[in-house]
Amino acid sequence: MSEKKRSKQGILAAAAMLLVLMTGCSNNGDASSSANSNTTAPKEKVSIEVWVNSRHDLEVRERLVKKFNETNPDNIEINYKVFADNYEEQLKLALNAGNLPDIAYNITTDLVNAEYPLDLNPLITPEIRDRFDESALTVPPSAKNGELDYIFENVTTFKLIYNKDLFKASGLDPEKPPATWQEMSEYAKQITASGGGQKFGLGLPVKQTVFWRYYAIYPAAVSGDINGRDGWNAVTGKYDFSPFAKYVKWWIDVNKEGSVFPGVGTYDNDMIRAQFAEGNIGMLSAATWDIGVFNDQFPAKIDWAVADFPTWDGKVLGGPAYETASGFSINKNSKHLEEAKKAWEFLISDEMFVELAKKGLGSFTNLAAQDKAIQPTDRKGVDGFVIDDKSVDYPRAPRLDYSVVNPPLKVGSLDVSKSAVVYDVMNQLFMSSKELPDIEKQLEELGDAFNKLAEANVEAGTIDLAKYQKPDFKPLKP
């Protein structure tokens, strides 16, 4: 470079420096104070849209969201929207319009197929893993490429509930629920005998056939009769409905004896729960949501308690069953992805779940919320539905595509064209009062049909059956 060019550049640099100094003086301060004022300018507020379909917990969640909006250091504002009645429709409209929320609760299959959810696996820190039951972070076999769409936050447990007042009035010890199915049969007979034609030992709401799931399949868990959900045996990698034959026969027998509330097959679950709340039924199968039912929907006029289901022959060979569900997913295409992640971290915070648990608004996989010390004292039955170290989240059954076999396979007169056919078969056996050989035969045929259907799904490439197998699964925790 020539000496002339160097000289010219030096003059320009000096002029530029002089201009900077002059500008600083004109601002009544030095250059450093100007720089500081720029760095301390308030960060622009970022709005994160959160859509949910749950209204029952709105008061708690909105209160905590308000607190977050006012105190978080990142100037994030959560816009919390509830769509109680038309949630799926709203999500579909938003999908078609390309205007999906930053975070959504209970996402639909449409959103999964549209690749809405961010894979949360990289966000699951050791600290988060320590705060949740293992089942909350277990990627389901149906997940795409092992991705975790959401933390499974809600827990549904399945238990026996019983009327302590009726036990006492019938000469039974109200502190000793039945330990075996034979004992439960005897208790039911004794309650019915002393009930004067008004009170009965049991109820069976199989007008909705799905309740065979709650009155035969899940109760069989503690006897070691299941190794997966809904007839799937994750250990063998086959469907097997034969263990449920003895339970269906048991219900046929107690109904014949008159121990079941009259009109079985004509009443649904609400009707039978209302009768239990009035004090007319001794024992029912129940799930976590029944805490709300007997405290709010049909406030119980009786003293009632929660117990594990009885075992078949007095031996506990499996843990009480529970399921996990629901959670918040992050839109991986969010325009404010980092802020959405921070909002998600707040939504899965211990504070959130503990406040929900204190109000009796559910049972949760969050370990802080599982602590019985924070369970509400005014919500009867809560303690009985909390998962403990005996509880087991049984392996999920394959998600089958029933259309791959056409015409559908049959079991008796019923088409194997939907998962609910399992309950329809059990109901048909019950309503026709079949004997054990016929029950066993038909449930064996049901297993054969489902295994053929599973094989057809494998051949069609719709499922990878290996993902649903757990050869080392043990239903009883050490």
Side-chain angles (χ1 to χ4, degrees), residues 89-104:
E89 181 183 342
Q90 290 297 324
L91 285 176
K92 186 172 288 188
L93 289 171
L95 174 62
N96 293 336
N99 192 29
L100 286 164
D102 301 285
I103 297 175

Side-chain angles (χ1 to χ4, degrees), residues 260-468:
V260 181
F261 194 84
V264 64
T266 65
Y267 49 78
D268 60 22
N269 201 37
D270 269 0
M271 294 168 68
I272 208 65
R273 289 185 296 186
Q275 291 293 335
F276 179 84
E278 287 293 323
N280 297 326
I281 294 174
M283 294 170 282
L284 286 182
S285 179
T288 305
W289 53 73
D290 287 312
I291 297 168
V293 170
F294 295 117
N295 281 279
D296 304 316
Q297 184 180 355
F298 304 125
K301 300 176 181 178
I302 55 169
D303 186 13
W304 60 283
V306 184
D308 287 339
F309 289 111
T311 62
W312 190 254
D313 57 8
K315 297 177 183 177
V316 177
L317 300 175
Y322 73 96
E323 288 184 351
T324 56
S326 304
F328 288 97
S329 299
I330 301 174
N331 182 353
K332 72 178 183 182
N333 294 315
S334 168
K335 294 177 181 177
H336 306 288
L337 189 56
E338 293 309 310
E339 288 83 1
K341 290 176 184 177
K342 290 178 180 179
W344 172 80
E345 288 172 359
F346 155 73
L347 292 168
I348 64 160
S349 64
D350 285 356
E351 180 185 22
M352 177 66 75
F353 290 115
V354 166
E355 288 301 308
L356 291 168
K358 280 182 178 179
K359 292 288 187 179
L361 293 171
S363 187
F364 305 98
T365 56
N366 177 266
L367 299 180
Q370 280 293 327
D371 184 352
K372 292 184 181 181
I374 59 91
Q375 298 298 329
T377 56
D378 61 341
R379 302 286 285 176
K380 191 171 180 63
V382 168
D383 282 358
F385 286 97
V386 174
I387 60 174
D388 56 28
D389 56 5
K390 299 184 301 178
S391 305
V392 175
D393 182 21
Y394 285 82
R396 298 166 187 265
R399 186 179 293 175
L400 300 176
D401 180 349
Y402 293 85
S403 68
V404 299
V405 177
N406 191 26
L409 300 167
K410 283 186 175 290
V411 173
S413 61
L414 297 170
D415 288 344
V416 182
S417 58
K418 57 181 180 179
S419 60
V421 72
V422 174
Y423 320 124
D424 294 342
V425 167
M426 289 182 176
N427 206 54
Q428 196 173 78
L429 291 166
F430 171 79
M431 296 303 290
S432 56
S433 296
K434 294 290 186 182
E435 291 301 320
L436 203 53
D438 289 331
I439 298 172
E440 291 170 329
K441 181 175 181 294
Q442 198 147 48
L443 290 181
E444 185 178 336
E445 290 175 2
L446 184 65
D448 290 342
F450 268 77
N451 285 320
K452 288 177 182 176
L453 186 59
E455 290 170 8
N457 272 260
V458 171
E459 291 173 6
T462 57
I463 58 169
D464 180 357
L465 214 56
K467 290 183 178 180
Y468 294 86

Side-chain angles (χ1 to χ4, degrees), residues 29-69:
D30 59 20
S32 63
S33 68
S34 176
N36 287 337
S37 68
N38 288 335
T39 58
T40 57
K43 185 178 178 182
E44 185 178 350
K45 189 176 290 293
V46 176
S47 179
I48 297 298
E49 290 265 331
V50 177
W51 289 13
V52 302
N53 63 339
S54 176
R55 188 177 293 278
H56 76 285
D57 54 7
L58 184 59
E59 184 275 328
V60 170
R61 291 197 187 267
E62 280 195 332
R63 171 165 51 82
L64 292 179
V65 164
K66 183 175 183 291
K67 177 183 174 183
F68 173 85
N69 288 345

Side-chain angles (χ1 to χ4, degrees), residues 68-350:
F68 173 85
N69 288 345
E70 293 172 349
T71 61
N72 80 85
D74 301 293
N75 213 12
I76 298 169
E77 183 174 71
I78 292 176
N79 185 9
Y80 194 81
K81 293 184 177 180
V82 180
F83 300 90
D85 301 321
N86 59 345
Y87 186 59
E88 290 191 16
E89 181 183 342
Q90 290 297 324
L91 285 176
K92 186 172 288 188
L93 289 171
L95 174 62
N96 293 336
N99 192 29
L100 286 164
D102 301 285
I103 297 175
Y105 192 66
N106 283 339
I107 59 172
T108 60
T109 303
D110 287 340
L111 265 66
V112 174
N113 293 338
E115 299 187 350
Y116 168 91
L118 179 74
D119 179 17
L120 299 179
N121 281 310
L123 305 187
I124 307 301
T125 62
E127 183 267 340
I128 289 176
R129 200 167 292 280
D130 287 343
R131 289 172 38 227
F132 287 87
D133 183 77
E134 183 183 359
S135 60
L137 306 169
T138 301
V139 177
S142 57
K144 182 179 179 181
N145 301 322
E147 294 183 358
L148 183 66
D149 293 345
Y150 51 83
I151 288 180
F152 294 81
E153 63 179 47
N154 289 333
V155 171
T156 301
T157 48
F158 306 91
K159 296 294 181 86
L160 179 77
I161 57 172
Y162 65 99
N163 181 335
K164 296 175 75 172
D165 293 338
L166 265 187
F167 268 47
K168 191 182 297 184
S170 305
L172 300 169
D173 187 340
E175 305 305 324
K176 291 184 178 179
T180 66
W181 283 72
Q182 177 60 35
E183 197 169 59
M184 186 159 63
S185 174
E186 293 166 359
Y187 282 21
K189 190 181 296 184
Q190 194 166 329
I191 290 169
T192 304
S194 62
Q198 300 297 315
K199 302 180 188 299
F200 299 85
L202 299 155
L204 185 64
V206 291
K207 179 180 180 181
Q208 299 159 286
T209 62
V210 69
F211 279 94
W212 282 107
R213 192 170 188 237
Y214 308 99
Y215 281 80
I217 294 179
Y218 276 126
V222 290
S223 299
D225 283 325
I226 66 173
N227 284 308
R229 302 183 192 179
D230 300 322
W232 171 249
N233 189 323
V235 175
T236 63
K238 297 284 186 182
Y239 282 93
D240 183 8
F241 299 99
S242 61
F244 308 121
K246 60 191 179 189
Y247 298 96
V248 175
K249 180 62 166 63
W250 185 91
W251 279 107
I252 290 171
D253 290 344
V254 293
N255 189 50
K256 284 181 178 178
E257 291 169 358
S259 297
V260 181
F261 194 84
V264 64
T266 65
Y267 49 78
D268 60 22
N269 201 37
D270 269 0
M271 294 168 68
I272 208 65
R273 289 185 296 186
Q275 291 293 335
F276 179 84
E278 287 293 323
N280 297 326
I281 294 174
M283 294 170 282
L284 286 182
S285 179
T288 305
W289 53 73
D290 287 312
I291 297 168
V293 170
F294 295 117
N295 281 279
D296 304 316
Q297 184 180 355
F298 304 125
K301 300 176 181 178
I302 55 169
D303 186 13
W304 60 283
V306 184
D308 287 339
F309 289 111
T311 62
W312 190 254
D313 57 8
K315 297 177 183 177
V316 177
L317 300 175
Y322 73 96
E323 288 184 351
T324 56
S326 304
F328 288 97
S329 299
I330 301 174
N331 182 353
K332 72 178 183 182
N333 294 315
S334 168
K335 294 177 181 177
H336 306 288
L337 189 56
E338 293 309 310
E339 288 83 1
K341 290 176 184 177
K342 290 178 180 179
W344 172 80
E345 288 172 359
F346 155 73
L347 292 168
I348 64 160
S349 64
D350 285 356

